[in-house]
Amino acid sequence: MKVSDLYTCLKKVYGFLGKWWPGLPEEIIIGAVLTQNTNWKNVSRAIENLKKALGENDILRKAEALSTEKLAELIRPAGFFNLKAKRLKALLAFLKAYDFDLNRLKSVPTDALRKSLLEVKGVGKETADSILLYALDKPVFVVDSYTKRLLKRLFNIDLQGYDEIKNLFESEYPPDLALYQELHGLIVEHAKRYCVKRPKCDECPLQENCYYASQLK
Ligand code: SF4
């Protein structure tokens, strides 16, 4: 199997996942920071706290107006809450310069916007690309540890650099927003269900196409 076949192959197994990342764009932006080093259940609880305290409308502006301490208290379920509150405040300050208008952000060319996001303290490449792809509708490929793992096991491609992996996928797939959103979700689903740390190759629907599994025979 080639990297360019992965989307079709995973889609056959998992069906239609759609956009995959849940929530409104504003919640996705917050979630992209909160999800660092925790699971989604905890992120959801933190976002629910914010929504209860601030309401759903204009949540970014209202969150920015909070003190870092109050923000930390509300996002406590996400873990590392003091650090994440500081990171969130930095990102919210960046968004304030655009008056929290996501359409204004979307009108910025992707490369320039990515560069600006990466200059925000605490925003790494995965966080920036998640915001671009799922909240701002920019077709960029999001790389995470699951992507690295699947690339290595399925294709015997051992790339470590974030941008190397991103460039590989972006050269294999056309810049199709829906496809990029769904492909990242499919990779995560597969890595969580079968291609876990100790892979369940015997049960895996991709075993016939997998380099790693072929080495076990
Ligand atoms: S066959 Fe094994 S190593 Fe290959 S994708 Fe499936 S679980 Fe991962």
Side-chain angles (χ1 to χ4, degrees):
M1 180 169 64
K2 294 179 288 188
V3 174
S4 56
D5 297 327
L6 183 62
Y7 174 69
T8 312
C9 190
L10 288 173
K11 213 170 153 70
K12 268 190 205 148
V13 176
Y14 296 102
F16 177 71
L17 289 191
K19 186 177 176 183
W20 181 71
W21 192 310
L24 298 169
E26 291 80 1
E27 294 167 25
I28 292 170
I29 290 173
I30 293 170
V33 173
L34 298 187
T35 197
Q36 297 164 353
N37 301 308
T38 193
N39 61 44
W40 187 254
K41 205 171 149 201
N42 294 336
V43 174
S44 266
R45 286 169 55 213
I47 291 177
E48 281 311 308
N49 276 356
L50 283 170
K51 280 163 51 175
K52 254 186 236 156
L54 305 174
E56 288 188 26
N57 291 333
D58 229 0
I59 196 165
L60 297 174
R61 190 186 303 276
K62 291 177 192 163
E64 195 277 333
L66 295 175
S67 67
T68 309
E69 292 71 26
K70 181 65 188 170
L71 192 57
E73 191 187 311
L74 290 170
I75 64 167
R76 180 180 275 266
F80 303 100
F81 47 91
N82 286 321
L83 177 65
K84 287 181 182 177
K86 282 185 200 150
R87 290 180 175 177
L88 203 45
K89 283 290 271 187
L91 179 59
L92 291 166
F94 168 77
L95 298 174
K96 192 178 184 180
Y98 291 84
D99 197 27
F100 304 99
D101 181 345
L102 301 191
N103 286 326
R104 266 180 70 190
L105 278 157
K106 286 180 191 179
S107 71
V108 179
T110 305
D111 287 350
L113 188 53
R114 185 173 193 260
K115 191 166 176 283
S116 303
L117 276 169
L118 289 173
E119 283 166 6
V120 176
K121 200 158 186 247
V123 173
K125 290 176 179 175
E126 186 183 336
T127 304
D129 288 336
S130 299
I131 291 170
L132 289 169
L133 179 63
Y134 288 107
L136 300 176
D137 297 342
K138 301 282 191 184
V140 296
F141 188 79
V142 176
V143 176
D144 60 8
S145 55
Y146 298 129
T147 321
K148 280 185 198 171
R149 186 193 293 166
L150 275 200
L151 210 49
K152 171 100 174 71
R153 289 183 181 162
L154 271 171
F155 305 105
N156 193 28
I157 297 176
D158 192 7
L159 295 178
Q160 292 304 315
Y162 185 101
D163 287 329
E164 274 181 299
I165 298 173
K166 179 174 181 286
N167 291 341
L168 170 68
F169 275 90
E170 290 181 358
S171 67
E172 295 287 342
Y173 291 93
D176 177 327
L177 176 67
L179 185 152
Y180 279 30
Q181 288 179 334
E182 193 171 25
L183 177 55
H184 175 67
L186 287 165
I187 289 171
V188 174
E189 288 300 322
H190 188 68
K192 283 187 172 174
R193 289 197 207 181
Y194 297 101
C195 211
V196 287
K197 276 194 182 151
R198 293 183 65 183
K200 300 174 184 170
C201 300
D202 288 347
E203 305 161 32
C204 178
L206 302 193
Q207 60 176 286
E208 292 305 319
N209 299 309
C210 177
Y211 171 82
Y212 181 93
S214 74
Q215 300 303 297
L216 300 176
K217 288 174 184 165

Short mmCIF file of all heavy atoms in Angstrom, two decimals, residues 112-142:
data_model
loop_
_atom_site.label_atom_id
_atom_site.label_comp_id
_atom_site.label_asym_id
_atom_site.label_seq_id
_atom_site.Cartn_x
_atom_site.Cartn_y
_atom_site.Cartn_z
N ALA A 112 1.32 32.54 6.15
CA ALA A 112 1.54 33.70 7.03
C ALA A 112 0.82 33.49 8.36
O ALA A 112 1.36 33.79 9.44
CB ALA A 112 1.03 34.97 6.35
N LEU A 113 -0.38 32.93 8.29
CA LEU A 113 -1.16 32.70 9.51
C LEU A 113 -0.48 31.65 10.39
O LEU A 113 -0.39 31.79 11.61
CB LEU A 113 -2.58 32.26 9.12
CG LEU A 113 -3.60 32.14 10.23
CD1 LEU A 113 -3.69 33.42 11.05
CD2 LEU A 113 -4.98 31.83 9.64
N ARG A 114 0.02 30.60 9.74
CA ARG A 114 0.71 29.53 10.50
C ARG A 114 1.94 30.11 11.20
O ARG A 114 2.21 29.84 12.36
CB ARG A 114 1.11 28.41 9.54
CG ARG A 114 1.72 27.19 10.23
CD ARG A 114 1.93 26.05 9.24
NE ARG A 114 2.21 24.81 9.93
CZ ARG A 114 3.43 24.30 10.07
NH1 ARG A 114 4.48 24.93 9.58
NH2 ARG A 114 3.60 23.16 10.71
N LYS A 115 2.68 30.94 10.46
CA LYS A 115 3.89 31.55 11.03
C LYS A 115 3.52 32.40 12.25
O LYS A 115 4.17 32.32 13.30
CB LYS A 115 4.56 32.41 9.95
CG LYS A 115 5.94 32.89 10.27
CD LYS A 115 6.62 33.42 9.01
CE LYS A 115 7.98 34.00 9.33
NZ LYS A 115 7.93 35.33 9.94
N SER A 116 2.46 33.18 12.13
CA SER A 116 2.04 34.04 13.26
C SER A 116 1.59 33.20 14.45
O SER A 116 1.92 33.51 15.60
CB SER A 116 0.87 34.94 12.86
OG SER A 116 1.21 35.71 11.76
N LEU A 117 0.85 32.14 14.18
CA LEU A 117 0.39 31.28 15.28
C LEU A 117 1.57 30.65 16.00
O LEU A 117 1.59 30.54 17.23
CB LEU A 117 -0.52 30.17 14.75
CG LEU A 117 -1.99 30.52 14.54
CD1 LEU A 117 -2.70 29.43 13.75
CD2 LEU A 117 -2.71 30.75 15.87
N LEU A 118 2.58 30.26 15.23
CA LEU A 118 3.74 29.61 15.84
C LEU A 118 4.58 30.58 16.67
O LEU A 118 5.40 30.15 17.48
CB LEU A 118 4.61 28.95 14.76
CG LEU A 118 3.98 27.71 14.11
CD1 LEU A 118 4.81 27.20 12.95
CD2 LEU A 118 3.78 26.60 15.15
N GLU A 119 4.35 31.86 16.47
CA GLU A 119 5.07 32.85 17.28
C GLU A 119 4.39 33.07 18.63
O GLU A 119 4.95 33.71 19.52
CB GLU A 119 5.17 34.18 16.51
CG GLU A 119 6.24 34.12 15.42
CD GLU A 119 6.14 35.25 14.41
OE1 GLU A 119 5.31 36.16 14.61
OE2 GLU A 119 6.90 35.21 13.42
N VAL A 120 3.18 32.54 18.79
CA VAL A 120 2.47 32.68 20.07
C VAL A 120 3.09 31.69 21.06
O VAL A 120 3.26 30.51 20.75
CB VAL A 120 0.96 32.37 19.90
CG1 VAL A 120 0.25 32.42 21.25
CG2 VAL A 120 0.33 33.33 18.91
N LYS A 121 3.41 32.19 22.25
CA LYS A 121 4.06 31.34 23.26
C LYS A 121 3.18 30.14 23.61
O LYS A 121 1.99 30.31 23.92
CB LYS A 121 4.34 32.17 24.51
CG LYS A 121 5.38 31.58 25.39
CD LYS A 121 6.01 32.62 26.31
CE LYS A 121 7.15 31.97 27.05
NZ LYS A 121 6.96 31.82 28.43
N GLY A 122 3.74 28.96 23.51
CA GLY A 122 2.99 27.76 23.90
C GLY A 122 2.23 27.11 22.76
O GLY A 122 1.61 26.08 22.94
N VAL A 123 2.26 27.74 21.59
CA VAL A 123 1.58 27.14 20.43
C VAL A 123 2.63 26.44 19.57
O VAL A 123 3.46 27.08 18.93
CB VAL A 123 0.82 28.19 19.58
CG1 VAL A 123 0.27 27.56 18.31
CG2 VAL A 123 -0.32 28.79 20.40
N GLY A 124 2.59 25.12 19.59
CA GLY A 124 3.51 24.33 18.77
C GLY A 124 2.87 24.01 17.43
O GLY A 124 1.74 24.43 17.14
N LYS A 125 3.59 23.22 16.65
CA LYS A 125 3.13 22.95 15.28
C LYS A 125 1.81 22.17 15.25
O LYS A 125 0.92 22.47 14.46
CB LYS A 125 4.21 22.20 14.51
CG LYS A 125 5.41 23.09 14.22
CD LYS A 125 6.53 22.36 13.54
CE LYS A 125 7.67 23.33 13.26
NZ LYS A 125 8.85 22.66 12.70
N GLU A 126 1.69 21.17 16.12
CA GLU A 126 0.45 20.37 16.11
C GLU A 126 -0.75 21.23 16.52
O GLU A 126 -1.83 21.14 15.92
CB GLU A 126 0.60 19.17 17.05
CG GLU A 126 -0.58 18.22 16.98
CD GLU A 126 -0.47 17.06 17.96
OE1 GLU A 126 0.65 16.70 18.37
OE2 GLU A 126 -1.53 16.53 18.33
N THR A 127 -0.55 22.07 17.53
CA THR A 127 -1.64 22.95 17.98
C THR A 127 -2.01 23.94 16.88
O THR A 127 -3.19 24.14 16.56
CB THR A 127 -1.21 23.72 19.26
OG1 THR A 127 -0.82 22.77 20.24
CG2 THR A 127 -2.33 24.58 19.79
N ALA A 128 -0.99 24.56 16.28
CA ALA A 128 -1.25 25.55 15.22
C ALA A 128 -1.99 24.90 14.06
O ALA A 128 -3.00 25.44 13.56
CB ALA A 128 0.07 26.15 14.74
N ASP A 129 -1.53 23.73 13.64
CA ASP A 129 -2.15 23.09 12.48
C ASP A 129 -3.56 22.58 12.80
O ASP A 129 -4.43 22.59 11.93
CB ASP A 129 -1.26 21.96 11.96
CG ASP A 129 -0.01 22.50 11.28
OD1 ASP A 129 -0.04 23.66 10.81
OD2 ASP A 129 1.01 21.78 11.21
N SER A 130 -3.78 22.16 14.04
CA SER A 130 -5.14 21.74 14.43
C SER A 130 -6.10 22.93 14.35
O SER A 130 -7.23 22.80 13.87
CB SER A 130 -5.15 21.19 15.86
OG SER A 130 -4.32 20.07 15.95
N ILE A 131 -5.63 24.09 14.80
CA ILE A 131 -6.47 25.29 14.74
C ILE A 131 -6.74 25.66 13.27
O ILE A 131 -7.87 25.95 12.88
CB ILE A 131 -5.79 26.46 15.49
CG1 ILE A 131 -5.77 26.17 17.00
CG2 ILE A 131 -6.49 27.79 15.20
CD1 ILE A 131 -4.92 27.13 17.82
N LEU A 132 -5.67 25.62 12.48
CA LEU A 132 -5.82 25.98 11.06
C LEU A 132 -6.80 25.04 10.35
O LEU A 132 -7.68 25.47 9.61
CB LEU A 132 -4.46 25.93 10.35
CG LEU A 132 -3.47 27.03 10.73
CD1 LEU A 132 -2.08 26.71 10.18
CD2 LEU A 132 -3.93 28.39 10.20
N LEU A 133 -6.64 23.75 10.59
CA LEU A 133 -7.44 22.76 9.86
C LEU A 133 -8.89 22.70 10.35
O LEU A 133 -9.82 22.67 9.55
CB LEU A 133 -6.79 21.37 10.00
CG LEU A 133 -7.53 20.21 9.31
CD1 LEU A 133 -7.58 20.41 7.80
CD2 LEU A 133 -6.86 18.87 9.62
N TYR A 134 -9.07 22.65 11.68
CA TYR A 134 -10.41 22.37 12.18
C TYR A 134 -11.22 23.61 12.57
O TYR A 134 -12.44 23.57 12.62
CB TYR A 134 -10.32 21.41 13.38
CG TYR A 134 -9.94 20.00 12.96
CD1 TYR A 134 -8.67 19.50 13.21
CD2 TYR A 134 -10.85 19.19 12.28
CE1 TYR A 134 -8.31 18.21 12.81
CE2 TYR A 134 -10.51 17.91 11.88
CZ TYR A 134 -9.25 17.42 12.15
OH TYR A 134 -8.90 16.15 11.74
N ALA A 135 -10.53 24.72 12.85
CA ALA A 135 -11.28 25.93 13.24
C ALA A 135 -11.28 26.98 12.13
O ALA A 135 -12.21 27.77 12.03
CB ALA A 135 -10.69 26.53 14.51
N LEU A 136 -10.22 26.98 11.31
CA LEU A 136 -10.10 28.06 10.33
C LEU A 136 -10.17 27.57 8.88
O LEU A 136 -9.89 28.32 7.94
CB LEU A 136 -8.79 28.84 10.58
CG LEU A 136 -8.70 29.49 11.97
CD1 LEU A 136 -7.35 30.15 12.18
CD2 LEU A 136 -9.82 30.51 12.18
N ASP A 137 -10.52 26.29 8.73
CA ASP A 137 -10.79 25.73 7.39
C ASP A 137 -9.62 25.86 6.41
O ASP A 137 -9.82 26.13 5.23
CB ASP A 137 -12.04 26.39 6.77
CG ASP A 137 -13.28 26.09 7.58
OD1 ASP A 137 -13.26 25.14 8.38
OD2 ASP A 137 -14.27 26.83 7.42
N LYS A 138 -8.41 25.70 6.93
CA LYS A 138 -7.24 25.73 6.05
C LYS A 138 -6.77 24.29 5.82
O LYS A 138 -6.56 23.56 6.81
CB LYS A 138 -6.10 26.53 6.69
CG LYS A 138 -6.45 27.98 7.02
CD LYS A 138 -6.42 28.84 5.80
CE LYS A 138 -6.49 30.31 6.15
NZ LYS A 138 -6.56 31.17 4.96
N PRO A 139 -6.59 23.87 4.58
CA PRO A 139 -6.19 22.48 4.33
C PRO A 139 -4.70 22.24 4.61
O PRO A 139 -3.87 22.23 3.70
CB PRO A 139 -6.52 22.28 2.84
CG PRO A 139 -6.45 23.65 2.26
CD PRO A 139 -6.79 24.63 3.34
N VAL A 140 -4.38 22.08 5.88
CA VAL A 140 -3.01 21.72 6.27
C VAL A 140 -3.09 20.36 6.96
O VAL A 140 -4.09 20.05 7.60
CB VAL A 140 -2.37 22.74 7.24
CG1 VAL A 140 -2.21 24.10 6.58
CG2 VAL A 140 -3.17 22.88 8.52
N PHE A 141 -2.05 19.57 6.82
CA PHE A 141 -2.09 18.24 7.43
C PHE A 141 -1.57 18.31 8.86
O PHE A 141 -0.51 18.88 9.11
CB PHE A 141 -1.25 17.25 6.60
CG PHE A 141 -1.42 15.85 7.08
CD1 PHE A 141 -2.54 15.11 6.74
CD2 PHE A 141 -0.48 15.28 7.93
CE1 PHE A 141 -2.72 13.82 7.23
CE2 PHE A 141 -0.65 13.99 8.42
CZ PHE A 141 -1.77 13.26 8.07
N VAL A 142 -2.33 17.73 9.78
CA VAL A 142 -1.93 17.73 11.20
C VAL A 142 -1.16 16.44 11.50
O VAL A 142 -1.64 15.35 11.22
CB VAL A 142 -3.17 17.80 12.12
CG1 VAL A 142 -2.76 17.69 13.59
CG2 VAL A 142 -3.96 19.08 11.89
#
